[in-house]
Amino acid sequence: MSAQEMALPKPTPIQIFETVQGYQRAFALKAAVELDLFTAIARGSHTAAEIAQACQASERGVRILSDSMVVMGFLTKAGNRYSLTPDPAFFLDRQSPAYLGHSLKFLLHPTHMARFEGLPGAVRRGGSSGEDATLSPEDPIWVEFARGMVPLIIPAAEAIAGILESELAARPSVKILDIAASHGIFGLTAAKRLPRAHVYALDWVNVLEVAQANARQMGMAERYHLLPGSAFEVDFGAGFDAVLITNFLHHFDPAENEKLLKKTHAALNPGGQVILLEFVPNEDRVSPPVPALFSLTMLGSTPRGDAYTLPEYAVACRNAGFNAPKLIPLEQMPQSLVVARKPV
Amino acid sequence: MSAQEMALPKPTPIQIFETVQGYQRAFALKAAVELDLFTAIARGSHTAAEIAQACQASERGVRILSDSMVVMGFLTKAGNRYSLTPDPAFFLDRQSPAYLGHSLKFLLHPTHMARFEGLPGAVRRGGSSGEDATLSPEDPIWVEFARGMVPLIIPAAEAIAGILESELAARPSVKILDIAASHGIFGLTAAKRLPRAHVYALDWVNVLEVAQANARQMGMAERYHLLPGSAFEVDFGAGFDAVLITNFLHHFDPAENEKLLKKTHAALNPGGQVILLEFVPNEDRVSPPVPALFSLTMLGSTPRGDAYTLPEYAVACRNAGFNAPKLIPLEQMPQSLVVARKPV
């Protein structure tokens, strides 16, 4: 063996093995949430025996599951006592207002997982096949999404509301269009800060029931208007001060997005803004990890969707008549805002 | 907000999100292997267009899949050119003698994955339910295992053969028992270095066909003897100098393992050794990551299996009549050897 060969680290299959076992980590986290392990620990159970009693599970099963949560960074272990790390204490304790346990149902939905088993076909064709795509009108998966994902998007909703508040608070009337409104929380969070704002929420009719229920619960039903149907087909109306397009454009190809941005442009008042919430990887497309990997999620689950870079959004915005967009990264979230203005 | 609150990092769902998406990473790696992406790059295709042509896939699909491999550390990217990192160059290029692509079929077998969907039940009961456990006699999954896992275990087989060679090379006759022989490579690698050794291979009858084919191919059929059936039921015979129990004891509970070690002890000559190949976590049970998480794999796929610590193996060995075992970590592998001697 030469000196050069000796200097090279020996190849090891460990990283391959860890990647392959990634599905077990995902299911372990889902199981811990389903069994309310994090809630039990937050309520004062710390040993496997105590947690097992609180979760009505076996001590052996809880010990192994809890150890796996320590390996993944969601718990710490001192002797035989488990404690929560900050993220699961905030997001996975059912008593927390930010509890996002329900969202795991959407993220690990069997429809999604089954589609990834067919990933080689999606790579060959360049996208997930049409017939089993997630995007069929009124797919019940979007209702689960609307219910489950709310806690995940609160920081983004607050950031968007902040932008709109600073811009529109002084106006006597405000019209906001919320495309792919889902749970409605983006538009509603803005409307809460802008008491004169009317929100027009667009989504599939069954999803809008969730949004409307939230509008009622937040006391904004009278300022909340429904536009049921496809964003590509429904008439938006006109005279909007802002249009929100959140977690939506990644489902489509650049031509479809340009079409939608042109339609958005037409519905906006001069000087109005379109605000996108998106996974925006760097131009290298391989960083940061979460936005970069979101491209794979779209390959596996949509016919032509992708995670687009800022220069790609800049082309689409320019072609649709907008000024150059600016990127606003969000603390605590893997997504960013992309904001573009219709020239006055 | 107090100074103390400001000092704390804000909670973020990013790690939860990344863990949940772990199944997509696993399927992405499997898809890359199935499409022979790594082989194409090893053979000189570097851009997405070149790789797509070599893999008969779409450029868009290959670009997204390759970017995901960069995020996971299996490729590098410079401009639009992809290159292999050392581990996939060694293990995932079909031209490499260490190609382990086939093992991904076993590791991501639908039987395994389906079982993990039922993990909450396994935690409640303390193990995977009996009726759908992997361990049914002559389950065809073990044939796939036997075929697919060979490249993964070569370093361990060489380490075991080294131990046996230094101990037994001078003997006029040598008898080795290879329990759960699978592909047979552990016993056969030892027999290659010990020309007078006879190997007795125990496994399900359909699996032994794979082992026997390997024995023939390696020119050792005459020194290779088959013991088809369950290790708990088949008569081992006697007079063995060494017994190999590789990747096996983790399927069972401590009582079953003690029973098997007693039977092993009875079959060994005084001074003979039992050599275990196992995932051995530290006593904290949460490090190193791969052996620690193997406990979860066993919870999800066996009724009572686990990843045992060295002190736990020490108890089992002592109760079976062995001297205290020693742990031999293996470079390049997540498993370790545990070696115990029958007193003279």
Side-chain angles (χ1 to χ4, degrees):
Chain A
M1 195 180 275
S2 72
Q4 195 184 8
E5 280 172 320
M6 286 189 66
L8 288 171
K10 284 188 186 171
T12 149
I14 289 178
Q15 201 188 349
I16 294 168
F17 202 70
E18 284 199 274
T19 301
V20 165
Q21 303 299 74
Y23 80 92
Q24 295 185 6
R25 295 181 183 229
F27 278 123
L29 184 60
K30 191 183 178 209
V33 166
E34 207 171 310
L35 291 161
D36 251 339
L37 185 92
F38 301 105
T39 310
I41 297 172
R43 284 183 170 152
S45 300
H46 288 284
T47 66
E50 290 165 2
I51 301 164
Q53 193 168 24
C55 297
Q56 296 182 281
S58 71
E59 181 176 340
R60 171 183 139 83
V62 165
R63 185 259 297 166
I64 293 175
L65 185 64
S66 300
D67 282 342
S68 81
M69 291 299 118
V70 176
V71 176
M72 297 177 207
F74 299 120
L75 296 178
T76 58
K77 186 179 186 182
N80 66 347
R81 293 175 65 80
Y82 300 96
S83 298
L84 298 172
T85 56
D87 292 343
F90 191 75
F91 290 112
L92 300 177
D93 168 8
R94 199 180 285 270
Q95 305 161 107
S96 164
Y99 180 69
L100 57 74
H102 301 299
S103 73
L104 269 64
K105 260 194 206 163
F106 174 81
L107 296 171
L108 291 170
H109 196 286
T111 314
H112 280 158
M113 306 210 53
R115 207 158 282 141
F116 272 83
E117 291 184 43
L119 196 59
V123 176
R124 285 193 193 99
R125 289 187 305 269
S128 186
S129 67
E131 67 246 48
D132 65 342
T134 329
L135 296 176
S136 71
E138 309 182 8
D139 189 318
I141 201 171
W142 295 122
V143 178
E144 286 195 39
F145 179 84
R147 292 217 174 95
M149 301 296 278
V150 172
L152 271 171
I153 57 84
I154 297 288
E158 293 291 348
I160 292 171
I163 291 170
L164 296 180
E165 189 182 17
S166 69
E167 170 114 4
L168 305 172
R171 304 267 177 100
S173 76
V174 173
K175 260 180 87 177
I176 297 168
L177 174 60
D178 189 358
I179 295 178
S182 185
H183 35 66
I185 297 301
F186 291 107
L188 290 167
T189 304
K192 204 170 160 187
R193 299 222 209 154
L194 295 164
R196 286 183 291 272
H198 282 250
V199 175
Y200 294 75
L202 188 151
D203 212 315
W204 305 120
V205 66
N206 55 340
V207 177
L208 284 180
E209 286 173 23
V210 182
Q212 196 169 28
N214 285 331
R216 257 187 250 114
Q217 208 189 334
M218 293 169 75
M220 284 179 279
E222 284 171 32
R223 300 190 280 133
Y224 206 68
H225 313 278
L226 307 184
L227 296 173
S230 157
F232 291 94
E233 287 161 22
V234 170
D235 182 9
F236 291 166
F240 289 100
D241 301 290
V243 178
L244 318 183
I245 313 181
T246 52
N247 287 322
F248 191 56
L249 297 188
H250 52 243
H251 295 103
F252 308 106
D253 69 23
E256 290 172 301
N257 285 335
E258 244 181 72
K259 198 154 77 178
L260 199 69
L261 285 170
K262 279 179 185 158
K263 196 175 165 189
T264 298
H265 184 271
L268 275 168
N269 289 328
Q273 292 179 97
V274 60
I275 302 183
L276 316 176
L277 177 66
E278 277 303 338
F279 292 88
V280 185
N282 295 328
E283 280 185 70
D284 64 11
R285 288 190 174 281
V286 295
S287 65
V290 174
L293 282 179
F294 196 75
S295 182
L296 180 76
T297 304
M298 289 301 99
L299 176 67
S301 56
T302 68
R304 302 287 304 167
D306 207 342
Y308 297 103
T309 63
L310 184 62
E312 288 170 329
Y313 280 119
V315 169
C317 286
R318 191 184 58 214
N319 291 348
F322 287 97
N323 290 340
K326 67 179 175 194
L327 185 77
I328 304 176
L330 297 170
E331 233 186 328
Q332 309 171 267
M333 289 196 65
Q335 292 110 309
S336 302
L337 300 179
V338 176
V339 184
R341 194 179 294 277
K342 178 175 179 171
V344 183
Chain B
M1 194 181 277
S2 72
Q4 196 184 7
E5 280 171 318
M6 285 190 64
L8 286 172
K10 284 189 187 168
T12 150
I14 290 178
Q15 201 187 350
I16 294 167
F17 202 71
E18 283 200 273
T19 300
V20 165
Q21 303 299 73
Y23 81 90
Q24 295 185 6
R25 295 182 182 228
F27 277 123
L29 183 59
K30 192 182 178 212
V33 166
E34 209 171 308
L35 292 161
D36 251 339
L37 185 92
F38 301 105
T39 310
I41 297 173
R43 284 184 172 153
S45 300
H46 288 284
T47 66
E50 290 166 1
I51 300 164
Q53 193 168 22
C55 298
Q56 297 183 280
S58 71
E59 182 176 340
R60 172 183 138 83
V62 165
R63 185 258 299 167
I64 293 175
L65 185 64
S66 300
D67 282 342
S68 81
M69 292 299 116
V70 176
V71 176
M72 298 178 205
F74 298 120
L75 296 178
T76 58
K77 186 180 186 182
N80 67 348
R81 293 174 64 80
Y82 301 97
S83 299
L84 299 171
T85 56
D87 292 344
F90 191 75
F91 290 112
L92 299 178
D93 168 10
R94 200 179 282 271
Q95 307 162 106
S96 164
Y99 180 70
L100 56 73
H102 300 298
S103 74
L104 269 65
K105 261 195 204 162
F106 174 80
L107 296 170
L108 291 170
H109 195 286
T111 315
H112 281 157
M113 306 211 54
R115 207 158 281 140
F116 272 81
E117 290 183 43
L119 197 58
V123 176
R124 286 193 191 99
R125 290 187 304 271
S128 185
S129 67
E131 65 247 47
D132 65 343
T134 330
L135 296 176
S136 71
E138 310 183 8
D139 189 319
I141 202 172
W142 294 122
V143 178
E144 286 194 40
F145 180 82
R147 293 218 174 94
M149 299 296 277
V150 172
L152 271 171
I153 56 83
I154 298 287
E158 293 290 347
I160 293 171
I163 292 170
L164 296 180
E165 189 182 17
S166 69
E167 170 116 3
L168 304 171
R171 304 265 177 100
S173 77
V174 173
K175 261 180 87 178
I176 297 168
L177 175 59
D178 189 358
I179 294 178
S182 185
H183 35 66
I185 298 300
F186 291 106
L188 289 166
T189 304
K192 204 171 161 186
R193 299 222 209 155
L194 295 163
R196 286 183 292 271
H198 281 250
V199 175
Y200 293 76
L202 188 151
D203 213 314
W204 305 120
V205 66
N206 54 339
V207 178
L208 285 180
E209 287 172 24
V210 182
Q212 195 169 30
N214 285 330
R216 255 186 250 115
Q217 209 188 331
M218 292 169 75
M220 284 178 280
E222 283 170 33
R223 299 189 282 132
Y224 206 68
H225 313 280
L226 307 184
L227 296 172
S230 157
F232 292 93
E233 287 161 21
V234 170
D235 183 9
F236 291 166
F240 290 100
D241 301 291
V243 179
L244 318 183
I245 313 181
T246 53
N247 287 322
F248 191 56
L249 296 188
H250 52 243
H251 295 102
F252 309 105
D253 69 22
E256 289 172 300
N257 285 335
E258 245 180 72
K259 197 155 76 176
L260 199 68
L261 285 169
K262 278 178 186 158
K263 196 176 164 188
T264 298
H265 184 271
L268 276 168
N269 290 329
Q273 292 179 99
V274 61
I275 302 183
L276 316 177
L277 177 67
E278 277 302 340
F279 292 87
V280 185
N282 295 328
E283 280 184 70
D284 63 12
R285 288 190 173 280
V286 295
S287 66
V290 175
L293 282 179
F294 196 75
S295 182
L296 180 76
T297 305
M298 290 299 99
L299 176 67
S301 55
T302 67
R304 301 287 304 164
D306 206 343
Y308 297 103
T309 63
L310 184 62
E312 288 171 329
Y313 280 119
V315 169
C317 285
R318 190 183 59 215
N319 291 349
F322 288 97
N323 291 339
K326 66 179 176 195
L327 185 77
I328 305 176
L330 296 170
E331 233 186 327
Q332 310 170 268
M333 289 195 65
Q335 293 109 310
S336 301
L337 299 179
V338 176
V339 184
R341 194 179 294 279
K342 178 175 179 170
V344 182

